[in-house]
Amino acid sequence: MSPLLDCHDLTVRFGGVTAVNAVSLAVDDGGDVVGLVGPNGSGKSTFLNAISGLVPAKGRLTVAGKDVPLGRPGAIARHRVYRTYQTPQVNPAMSCLENVLVASTDTSLRGVVGAWPLRPGMWRHEKRRWQEAAEALERVGLLDRANDGAAGLAYGERRHLELARALLARPRLLLMDEPAAGLNTAETSRLARLLRGVSAEGISAVVIEHKIGFIEELCRRIVVLEQGIQIAAGPPTEVWRDPAVMNAYLGEAL
Amino acid sequence: MSGTEPGPHPADPLRRLSDELTERLVRPRVYGRHQWRIWWGVAVVVALLPLVIAGGYQFNIAVNAELFAILSLGFYFQFALAGQFSFATPAYYAVGAYTFAWAAPSGGFLLAFGAAVVVTAALGALTKLLLARSPLIHFAIATLAFGSLVLIVLQNWTSFSGGGQGTFGIPQPSIFGYLFDTGTKQYYLCGTVTLLGVALLILFERSPAQRDLVFVRDMGAVAQTAGLRSAHVQVVAFGAGASFMGAAGALLASTAGFVDLSSFSTANGVSIALLVLLMVLLGGVGSVWGPVIGAALLTVLPQVLARWKSYEELIYSVIILVVILVLPGGITSLLTELRTRRTRRRPGRAPAP
């Protein structure tokens, strides 16, 4: 069986700089969580951006065996792959509930037809959408803030709001860029528990993270990038012993 | 693309909440607002205005204000909601008017009005579709070129538009045999269409369509990675805004009885594209009645200023500067601001630090 996500020789060039150099990565369906680690500037975020089509890239990308065009934002969302960002991307002008609702997979009567001629049908769908969105908010612990403006959320809460949005979309795969950054110890372990639950339900993930404990708790397998090149891959305990990895991190420390 | 279907999947990340809990919390905030009060306010003003105005000239001004209100509502749709700055307002206005003029003699008022709305909606959608990849400022300049192109085509397609002479003998509005043959009747007809436009925008605001559109406007590519079809949403919204302008054009053609291109370039010496922008900015981009109040003020103002003709430009310039420097959110933001201040001063609350 082919893996859920298969990146083959993904390469991203910005002018003369090769930010991601022929990186391949496979993630299985059904709750496989792969950690993506590496020093700052090693191309982790660019790699996720390439998968989500936010930057032009070369190589081959498939989801469940189907080709996904590169360089088109949203192309992979059609295959139910959603992401969160290093800087949480929420619309401060909208309420928490509205920020989540936009990702509902129920797209019926959401345009002008629902707004004008077919309002009764729109209401039926809307009530179902509100219900799901409330459930997604409950999942991340933000239900009490449903109608508060997203602008009033703390940094960590914004991350959770983004996660609720991704969960509402009923993902098969989540791409998460440093989900635990800026969270305190209690919040980090709560997030790890939440994500373990998500993975146990069969949702796979690619997680970029600097917090080693968080990665070890969550990931069966990690991939290490340095200067856009994959230098190691495997179970966390083995990878940390790899001399190349030690070098890369030591180099950063010095 | 079988991947698009949300079909059954073993993992449902969402647990069922109790009905009681969701009943309490899940209605989005927008449904707690009272937009219909705005509608009733506009309706009362439209209904009672004929008590204070008199004479054909004043009714002409009032009809003009209504037409500009509809144009501004269209521009509000495109600019404030969809985040698309366009200079093509006069083009949609003109195409609406000429389509009406072409269809009205044989098809009657309602059919011709519908034709004007549909044709301009399609033209607006086409504009946005062709320029889907152009960023904001490029889009604005491209619509300037597109708008001129449309007007040049109308100018030279004499068999359709009458060219420089214009089109004459457009029948007066008539619905199911009722003829709107006086200034007062035409005023009420245009007022009804204005109120219909305001109602459509309020309904749009109270629907998921505005939520998606605003998210696309503010979040760019993030919206696409969240699964929204950004291009589609914006094309539809831009077309819908253009159709309002087409409706205004149809009303202009039928109330004036003739159309010629000079009606679409300037009004009181100000370019219509800029005048409509100014109306929306003065009224405020934050609320649907901003464009209405802006249109009313800037149509009446030149009449008031007529006495001080020589200072007109000075007064206009001062208004623009005051709005941009002191009141960037327009008149409606001023009222919101006053309301919040009153709430803050309410006794029993700790004073703001």
Side-chain angles (χ1 to χ4, degrees), chain A residues 52 54 66 73-74 77-83 85 89-91 93-95 97-99 101-103 105 109-112 115-116 119 122-123 126 129-132 134-136 138-139 143 146-149 165 167-168 170-172 201-203, chain B residues 1-19 21-22 24-31 77 133 199-201 203-204 206-212 214-215 217-219 221-222 224-229 236 240 244:
Chain A
S52 19
L54 294 172
K66 291 196 189 78
R78 305 217 169 88
H79 298 273
R80 306 222 323 264
V81 175
Y82 298 92
R83 66 167 298 176
Y85 292 82
Q89 296 292 318
V90 301
N91 187 344
M94 293 164 84
S95 72
L97 187 70
E98 289 165 332
N99 261 292
L101 272 169
V102 292
T105 51
L109 300 176
R110 256 166 73 170
V112 289
W116 294 332
R119 280 184 84 81
M122 180 275 280
W123 281 114
E126 267 297 90
R129 286 191 280 255
W130 298 345
Q131 169 94 17
E132 320 178 291
E135 283 158 6
E138 210 259 329
R139 188 79 202 264
L143 184 56
N147 281 323
D148 295 354
R165 184 165 72 218
L167 288 176
L168 179 65
R170 295 202 161 68
R172 301 166 81 177
E201 284 161 19
I203 297 170
Chain B
M1 294 235 190
S2 63
T4 41
E5 278 99 58
H9 191 260
D12 189 341
L14 313 174
R15 301 180 194 118
R16 304 304 294 177
L17 282 181
S18 79
D19 285 346
L21 198 57
T22 51
R24 189 163 53 84
L25 286 164
V26 295
R27 268 169 86 83
R29 277 192 302 190
V30 60
Y31 301 105
F77 212 134
R133 285 169 185 276
L200 286 173
L201 273 167
L203 290 173
F204 190 82
R206 298 173 74 89
S207 85
Q210 177 153 331
R211 183 170 68 220
D212 287 356
V214 166
F215 197 82
R217 178 194 72 191
D218 294 347
M219 304 303 287
V222 172
Q224 287 168 287
T225 63
L228 282 167
R229 292 184 301 159
V236 170
F244 278 56

Side-chain angles (χ1 to χ4, degrees), chain B residues 27-58:
Chain B
R27 268 169 86 83
R29 277 192 302 190
V30 60
Y31 301 105
R33 292 195 201 128
H34 301 286
Q35 298 101 325
W36 291 111
R37 285 184 196 161
I38 297 167
W39 191 88
W40 282 109
V42 177
V44 167
V45 171
V46 168
L48 298 183
L49 195 66
L51 296 179
V52 292
I53 61 174
Y57 182 70
Q58 290 197 342

